[in-house]
Amino acid sequence: MKYLVLLMGDGAEAPWASMTADDQAELMAKFEAFDEACEAREGVRILTGEALGDGESATTVRYAGGVRTDTDGPYAEAVEGLGGFYLLEAPDLDAVLDLVQVLPRYDLQISPVVDPV
């Protein structure tokens, strides 16, 4: 089964550019440990994963009455922002919940991917 893991930031973490090199290395080490834990776990694969730009760099597209409106910025005003994601293949949710403990302490949203078959 596939699971989408969304990494939500609450603004409490310092922005990447303002982190010291040591803080950046410590954070990246946690992501690398997650990658290694997934590789070591039978039946688990990281299909893709990326860090995302901050909400201010997003473009929101909305449709109302058949008319498209594009605006700069995140979909909604929020304290939390989507910082990144992983798409995993795993045998079950318990395996994913076990593995995400290795990630930095982001708030997470984990959603199963719907199989269209």
Side-chain angles (χ1 to χ4, degrees), residues 12-79:
E13 299 87 15
W16 179 261
S18 68
M19 288 181 161
T20 66
D22 287 344
D23 289 342
Q24 289 176 349
E26 184 179 325
L27 187 65
M28 290 308 296
K30 291 178 182 177
F31 288 111
E32 290 167 9
F34 177 72
D35 293 352
E36 291 169 5
C38 288
E39 286 178 25
R41 185 81 170 248
E42 187 169 335
V44 175
R45 287 189 312 143
I46 296 175
L47 301 175
T48 191
E50 296 290 341
L52 300 175
D54 66 15
E56 298 306 313
S57 66
T59 299
T60 298
V61 178
R62 294 183 185 201
Y63 290 90
V67 176
R68 187 179 95 180
T69 304
D70 306 338
T71 55
D72 293 335
Y75 180 76
E77 191 74 26
V79 174

Side-chain angles (χ1 to χ4, degrees), residues 95-112:
V96 177
L97 290 171
D98 185 45
L99 287 164
V100 298
Q101 294 180 76
V102 178
L103 287 169
R105 296 294 176 230
Y106 290 98
D107 289 337
L108 305 173
Q109 178 179 318
I110 302 170
S111 299

